[in-house]
Amino acid sequence: MSFTEKKHPDQERASSRRKQVLDAAEICFGSSGFHGASMAEISKAAGMSAGHIYNYFDSKDAIIAAFVQHNMERVTNLMGNLEQCEDPLQAILDDIEKSVHADLHPGIWKLPLEISAEASRNPKIAALVRDADCYSRSQLRSIVAKGRAARGLETDMATLDGRVEAIICMFQGLPTRALYNPALNEAALVAAFRLALAPLLFGE
Amino acid sequence: MSFTEKKHPDQERASSRRKQVLDAAEICFGSSGFHGASMAEISKAAGMSAGHIYNYFDSKDAIIAAFVQHNMERVTNLMGNLEQCEDPLQAILDDIEKSVHADLHPGIWKLPLEISAEASRNPKIAALVRDADCYSRSQLRSIVAKGRAARGLETDMATLDGRVEAIICMFQGLPTRALYNPALNEAALVAAFRLALAPLLFGE
Amino acid sequence: MSFTEKKHPDQERASSRRKQVLDAAEICFGSSGFHGASMAEISKAAGMSAGHIYNYFDSKDAIIAAFVQHNMERVTNLMGNLEQCEDPLQAILDDIEKSVHADLHPGIWKLPLEISAEASRNPKIAALVRDADCYSRSQLRSIVAKGRAARGLETDMATLDGRVEAIICMFQGLPTRALYNPALNEAALVAAFRLALAPLLFGE
Amino acid sequence: MSFTEKKHPDQERASSRRKQVLDAAEICFGSSGFHGASMAEISKAAGMSAGHIYNYFDSKDAIIAAFVQHNMERVTNLMGNLEQCEDPLQAILDDIEKSVHADLHPGIWKLPLEISAEASRNPKIAALVRDADCYSRSQLRSIVAKGRAARGLETDMATLDGRVEAIICMFQGLPTRALYNPALNEAALVAAFRLALAPLLFGE
DNA sequence: AATGAATGAGTTTTCATTCAT
DNA sequence: AATGAATGAAAACTCATTCAT
C-alpha cells in the first residue's frame, strides 16, 4: 500500500522531514480542512519551504493520502490494543465512556468528517480508507467472535458481520453528533450506548 | 428562516430558476463536493449562464446554504411523517430495513458527508444544521416519549435525551459505513440495528 | 455638438425620459463616480428599467457624455449671467465669496474631479470639455476685455488670454483644495482670492 | 507611514520588484486610469505574472495606494528643495516658469487628476492625500511666513493660511487647464501667475 | 539539501448590453 | 413603450507547482 517514495540518500532525515510535514498537515487540516489549507500554510507550519516539501511528497494530494493513511493506522492500533485485553468484549463496554468522550472532544471529530468527505470524492483516498476499514473490521470481527465463543455463544458469519458493522457504525456516527449538537449530554449518551451495545456484543 | 431573497416580478419563474440551480447544485455537489464544483460547472448543469445565477443567489456560499437548508428539511419531513404513524415507535423498527437501505444507496450518502465536513468549517452552515438537528431531535424525542408512555414505560429526561442521541447517532453513522465498506451486508446490518434499537426504544 | 439621438415618435416624452436618466445619473455619478455607478443603479434611480435606458442612450458612455455636456452648460450659463451684469468685472470680485463657497460645498466639487479624470482618458469626453471650455473662456475673455476697456485699460490679446487662463485656473483648483484640506479656512481663502484676482482683472 | 510589507529574505530584489510594479503602474495608470488599468495590463508592463505581483502587494488597491503615496512624496520633496533656497519666496516667483511648464507637460498632469478623482471616492486614498497635503501646506506656510518676516511684513495666521491655500490652489488648477485648453498660451499664463502670486506672497 | 521567486491556470463575481415578451 | 431575464466577457485574486540558485 505504501506509495513509492522518492529515494533519498539519508533515509533517516528524509523520514523525519516527512513526519515534520505530516505533523504540520495535521494542524492545518484540522483548522482549515484539506482544501482550505494551502501549501504555503503547511510549509510555514512545517518550518520548511513549500518547494522543499515536493522533495518528499509528489503533490498535495500525496500529503493528504499519507495523512489519511496515518490516521487510519491510529484506529487500527486502537483495535490492536483492544485485542490484547484479557476480555476485549467487556473492555469495549468498559471503555465506552472513554471512547465516546474522546470522539466528542472538539478537534478530534473534525478530521474524520474531513476524511470521509474527501474519500467520497477522491478514489485514491476511498481505496485507502476502505482498505484500512476492512482491516480493522476484521480485527473487531475476530475480537467479537472470540469473546462470544468464550462465553459459549454461537454466531454465524453474517450475523457477526452485521453486528460488527452496527458497532462501528455507532462510533462513526459520533463526530456528526458532536458537530450537530454541541450541547449533547455525554453521560446520557454513554448510558444509551451501553444499552445498545450490550445486545450487539452478547445478544443471542 | 429564509433569507430575504431578491425581488423578482415573476415569482413563479424566479422560484423555478432557483430550483433549477439547486437541482444542478445537487448533481455537481454530489460528484465534486461543495468546493470542487465550480460555478461554471453548476451553471452548465443548470443550463444557465454563471452570471445569471447571481440574480437568484448572492454568492456560491448562498447556494451551498440553500442547498444544505433544503437537505435538512428532507430529514425534518421524514420525522414529521413518522409522527403521523399509529405507533411511531414500532414504525421505527419496522422501517429500519427501508431507512438503512435508503442511506446505503450510493448517491444518497455522499451529501451528508459533504454537509458535515462543510459545517465543521463554515459557521453559517454549522448554525443551519444545528438548528435543523435541534428541531428533528426534539421531534424524535417527543415521538419516543409518547411511545414509551403509551407502553407504560417511565423515562426521565436525561435518559430520553441519551437514547434519542444514540438512535440518531446510529443512523448518522450509516453514510460512513456505506462509503468505507462497499461490500456491506445490508440484511445483516438491518438485523443488528433492530437488536440495538430495541432496548433504546423499549428498554427500561 | 449634439449627438444624433434616436428617433422617437413622441419627442416630448423622449426628452423627458432622457432628463429622468440624466437626473438619476447625477445622483449616482456623484456618489459612486462614473465607473462605480452601474447601469442597474442608475436605472433604479431613474425609475426605469435598465434595458429601456438603451432606447434613449446608445451606451453608458453616451450617458456620461450627455451628463458631462449638461454640466459644462451650467458653467456656460453662469458665465452668461455674469455677462448680463452692469459691471461684470466688479461682479466677479463681489461674487468671489459666493463662488468659492459653492465650489467648496461637499457634493459640488466631486463632479468636476470626476469629469476631469474621465476627460483625461476618454477622447470623446475630452473633446466635449475642451469645446465647452473654449466657449466659456471666450465669454470670460470678452467680459474682461470690455470691463478693462470701460476702465481705460489697454490690454493686448496674449496678456488677456493669460489672465483669463489664470482666473479660470484658480477656480478650477478649488475642488482639489476642498478635497485635500477639509479644514480649509474659507474666509481667509476668499480674502486671498480677492487679493490675487484684483491684479488679474485690473492690473496694468 | 509605510504599511507593513510582506517579508522577503532578499530585500534588495523585493524592493526592486516593487519598483518594477510601480513603474509599470505609472505607465498604465497614466494611460488607462486607476480602474481602467487591469492587473493583466500592469503585469505585462511590469514583465511579471499577475499572480506574482500579489507577493509584493496585497491588492490592486494597495498598488494604487503605494503609487499615490509615492506621487505625493514628489510634491513634498519639491517643497523641501524650495525650503533650501536662499530666498524661497523669490524662488517661487522665479520658478513659476519652470513649475508651470512642468505641470503643463502632457503625461504630468494626468496623474493628479486621476489621484484627485480616486481620493474623492476612496477614503483610504483621501486620508493619504490629505495627510501629504497637510504636510506640504505647513512647509509652504513656514516658507512664506519666514520670507515675509525677513521682509518685515507682519501677517496673522488666518491671512497666512488663506494665502497659502490660494497659492496651492492656483497650481492645483493647472492640470485641469492643461487638459481643457491644449492650445494654452504658456508664456502669457506664466506672466499672469506672476501677477497674481506677487500680492499673495508680498502683499500687505 | 533547501530556498522562495515565479508562473499560469482556475476561481468567484460583476456588469454593460441584448432581446423576447 | 417598457420590462427584466439572460448573456458573456471581463475583472481581481489564489494557489499548487516548478526551477534557478
Side-chain angles (χ1 to χ4, degrees), chain C residues 3-15:
Chain C
F3 296 81
T4 44
E5 291 170 16
K6 297 188 178 172
K7 279 291 164 271
H8 290 271
D10 185 344
Q11 290 233 12
E12 190 105 9
R13 159 168 270 178
S15 111

Side-chain angles (χ1 to χ4, degrees), chain A residues 32-33 72 109-110 112-117 119-121 129-130 133 137 158-159 161-163 165-166 168-170 172-174 176-177 179-182 184-185 188-189 192-193 195-196 199-200, chain B residues 31-33 72 109-110 112-117 119-121 129-130 133 137 158-159 162-163 165-166 168-170 172-174 176-177 179-182 184-185 188-189 192-193 195-196 199-200:
Chain A
S32 317
M72 300 313 279
W109 48 261
K110 282 196 170 179
L113 296 179
E114 199 68 33
I115 291 173
S116 295
S120 80
R121 297 178 241 111
V129 298
R130 280 172 187 155
D133 188 80
R137 209 165 56 230
T159 303
D161 280 343
R163 297 197 181 175
E165 275 296 335
I168 302 178
C169 183
M170 290 184 68
Q172 285 185 337
L174 282 172
T176 307
R177 291 320 303 148
L179 168 61
Y180 282 27
N181 183 8
L184 182 151
N185 181 336
L189 179 60
F193 257 56
L195 198 63
L200 291 174
Chain B
S31 59
S32 317
M72 300 313 278
W109 49 260
K110 282 196 170 180
L113 297 178
E114 197 67 34
I115 291 173
S116 294
S120 81
R121 296 180 243 106
V129 298
R130 280 173 187 157
D133 187 80
R137 209 164 57 231
T159 304
R163 296 195 181 174
E165 276 294 337
I168 302 178
C169 184
M170 290 184 66
Q172 285 185 338
L174 282 172
T176 309
R177 292 320 305 148
L179 168 60
Y180 283 26
N181 183 7
L184 183 150
N185 179 336
L189 178 61
F193 256 55
L195 197 63
L200 291 175

Side-chain angles (χ1 to χ4, degrees), chain C residues 104-134:
Chain C
L104 296 182
H105 188 76
I108 291 289
W109 47 261
K110 283 196 170 181
L111 286 170
L113 298 179
E114 198 69 33
I115 291 173
S116 295
E118 183 63 19
S120 81
R121 296 178 242 109
N122 186 332
K124 233 169 168 170
I125 301 298
L128 227 64
V129 297
R130 280 171 187 157
D131 206 64
D133 189 80
C134 182

Side-chain angles (χ1 to χ4, degrees), chain B residues 69-156:
Chain B
Q69 178 83 307
H70 184 71
N71 262 263
M72 300 313 278
E73 275 160 16
R74 273 191 331 122
V75 174
T76 308
N77 289 341
L78 243 72
M79 214 66 88
N81 291 343
L82 199 61
E83 224 161 0
Q84 309 299 322
C85 293
E86 185 84 7
D87 181 354
L89 243 53
Q90 190 55 44
I92 292 178
L93 272 187
D94 293 345
D95 287 355
I96 289 180
E97 193 145 14
K98 259 191 344 201
S99 340
V100 168
H101 183 74
D103 275 341
L104 296 183
H105 188 76
I108 292 288
W109 49 260
K110 282 196 170 180
L111 288 169
L113 297 178
E114 197 67 34
I115 291 173
S116 294
E118 183 64 19
S120 81
R121 296 180 243 106
N122 185 333
K124 230 168 169 172
I125 301 298
L128 225 66
V129 298
R130 280 173 187 157
D131 207 64
D133 187 80
C134 182
Y135 184 64
S136 35
R137 209 164 57 231
S138 75
Q139 282 179 302
L140 182 58
R141 194 195 299 112
S142 128
I143 288 172
V144 175
K146 281 190 204 154
R148 291 178 61 86
R151 285 169 173 78
L153 296 161
E154 290 279 321
T155 341
D156 65 286

Side-chain angles (χ1 to χ4, degrees), chain B residues 8-9 17 49 51-52 56:
Chain B
H8 291 270
R17 287 285 171 272
S49 78
H52 195 34
Y56 302 105

Side-chain angles (χ1 to χ4, degrees), chain A residues 44, chain D residues 3-11 14 18 55-56:
Chain A
K44 188 183 288 184
Chain D
F3 297 80
T4 43
E5 290 167 17
K6 294 184 182 169
K7 277 289 160 270
H8 291 271
D10 187 341
Q11 290 226 14
R18 285 180 65 91
N55 287 325
Y56 301 105

